[in-house]
């Protein structure tokens, strides 16, 4: 009787102990029944590749988090559209173009690439200009963004730069659509020449003096060998940083996995 109970217990222990490692093995090798589509903007852009610099900006300004929260919240039931410039667009900027921005201005720059509506390719053709972005005010000298489409191309103009949108989204979910845009969308408010204000606004005009319209107007000329080399090496360093971060997180994952198996 006692020995039968003991062997039943032993059998139970054996079943449990053999089942546990099998479950762990499954969790480690199989990704699960339905591999979920990438949901965060950073996951989408990382997967697409070549968006290192924009991802960095999304993270440093905490806009990546904002976007994730907005997509979760009911307030943005219309969804979001993100115009993502690739690393080559950042490399093409004159040196120091972004360094001169304050944190608040960097946030506005990133928000200028985000629209509070999930715009499918067909909807891009029919938006009314100026299109309102999350940077806000679309007025003259502020954050206007115009889209013009002819069925094949979608041109985007900020008044400072003209860019084109890749009409096929990088990602198109129900509530989030991501397009690649050929250039960093430099908003007029930060890079355009000051517009004459209807009424005197001393605080505004002081701020405007800090803008560098000349540097931006010369953008194509700035793609000289020297300029390209400096910005490219900056981009390379940035990529190195991300690579190191990825490598160290791989080490961390490996360490956790080793611990897991050692238990
Ligand atoms: C877009 O811009 C290109 C050149 O920059 C031009 O040839 C084309 O006609 C423009 N298309 C639209 C729809 O504005
Ligand atoms: C955008 O379009 C509006 C109306 O069509 C026009 O008044 C404005 O000058 C345009 N702005 C830019 C930056 O292209
Ligand atoms: C953008 O395109 C418009 C219309 O094609 C042109 O008038 C303007 O000079 C261009 N702006 C820049 C900064 O290239």
């Amino acid at each position: 009787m006692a020995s039968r109970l003991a062997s039943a217990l032993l059998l139970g222990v054996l079943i449990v102990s053999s089942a546990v490692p099998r479950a762990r093995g499954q969790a480690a090798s199989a990704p699960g029944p339905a591999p979920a589509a990438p949901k965060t903007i950073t996951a989408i852009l990382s997967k697409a590749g070549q968006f290192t610099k924009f991802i960095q900006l999304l993270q440093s300004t905490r806009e990546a988090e904002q976007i994730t929260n907005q997509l979760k919240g009911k307030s943005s039931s219309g969804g979001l559209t993100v115009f993502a410039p690739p690393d080559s667009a950042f490399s093409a900027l004159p040196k120091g173009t972004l360094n001169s921005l304050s944190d608040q201005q960097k946030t506005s720059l990133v928000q200028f690439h985000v629209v509070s509506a999930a715009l499918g390719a067909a909807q891009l053709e029919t938006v009314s200009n100026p299109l309102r972005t999350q940077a806000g005010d679309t007025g003259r000298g502020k954050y206007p963004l115009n889209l013009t489409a002819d069925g094949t191309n979608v041109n985007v103009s900020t008044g400072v730069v003209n860019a084109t949108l890749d009409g096929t989204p990088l990602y198109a979910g129900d509530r989030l659509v991501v397009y690649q845009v050929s250039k960093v969308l430099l908003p007029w408010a930060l890079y355009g020449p000051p517009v004459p204000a209807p009424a005197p606004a001393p605080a505004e005009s002081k701020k405007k003096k800090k803008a560098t319209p000349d540097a931006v107007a010369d953008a194509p000329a700035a793609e000289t060998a020297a300029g390209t080399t400096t910005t490219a090496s900056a981009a390379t360093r940035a990529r190195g940083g991300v690579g190191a971060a990825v490598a160290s997180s791989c080490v961390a994952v490996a360490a956790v996995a080793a611990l897991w198996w050692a238990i």
Side-chain angles (χ1 to χ4, degrees):
M1 184 70 174
S3 78
R4 207 179 284 171
L5 180 62
S7 55
L9 274 175
L10 184 61
L11 184 63
V13 168
L14 281 175
I15 288 168
V16 168
S17 61
S18 66
V20 168
R22 206 183 300 144
R24 279 181 193 164
Q26 277 168 355
S29 58
K39 286 201 181 72
T40 67
I41 184 67
T42 45
I44 291 163
L45 293 176
S46 302
K47 192 162 174 259
Q50 299 305 312
F51 291 93
T52 315
K53 184 65 194 166
F54 192 54
I55 292 171
Q56 280 174 359
L57 269 176
L58 282 164
Q59 288 175 333
S60 68
T61 58
R62 308 193 69 152
E63 279 304 305
E65 216 176 304
Q66 286 290 321
I67 288 170
T68 302
N69 289 340
Q70 286 174 23
L71 289 172
K72 272 189 212 150
K74 289 201 167 69
S75 57
S76 68
S77 50
L80 298 175
T81 299
V82 176
F83 302 132
D87 291 336
S88 57
F90 284 94
S91 306
L93 290 175
K95 195 170 174 260
T97 302
L98 301 185
N99 295 348
S100 57
L101 298 181
S102 68
D103 288 350
Q104 180 52 54
Q105 289 172 327
K106 279 181 186 159
T107 299
S108 295
L109 176 79
V110 175
Q111 289 174 333
F112 194 51
H113 292 73
V114 184
V115 176
S116 300
L119 302 171
Q123 283 149 301
L124 283 184
E125 311 251 335
T126 57
V127 293
S128 53
N129 290 322
L131 178 62
R132 189 179 178 85
T133 68
Q134 292 200 337
D137 199 338
T138 59
R140 228 172 127 243
K142 296 295 185 183
Y143 293 90
L145 188 70
N146 283 2
L147 263 56
T148 49
D150 60 8
T152 43
N153 293 316
V154 181
N155 290 353
V156 187
S157 177
T158 72
V160 179
V161 294
N162 292 336
T164 48
L165 270 194
D166 194 336
T168 309
L170 286 172
Y171 177 84
D174 285 346
R175 310 196 53 214
L176 175 63
V177 186
V178 184
Y179 295 93
Q180 177 166 331
V181 64
S182 64
K183 292 185 185 163
V184 180
L185 301 175
L186 302 177
W188 192 294
L190 302 180
Y191 294 97
V195 290
E204 271 295 291
S205 66
K206 216 179 199 176
K207 208 194 279 174
K208 292 278 163 54
K209 273 183 196 135
K210 282 188 196 158
T212 54
D214 291 346
V216 172
D218 290 345
E223 290 175 38
T224 56
T228 307
T229 309
T230 10
T231 45
S233 66
T236 309
R237 278 197 303 277
R239 269 182 225 121
V242 169
V246 169
S248 67
S249 62
C250 285
V251 169
V253 167
V256 169
L259 269 178
W260 189 239
W261 279 105
I263 294 168

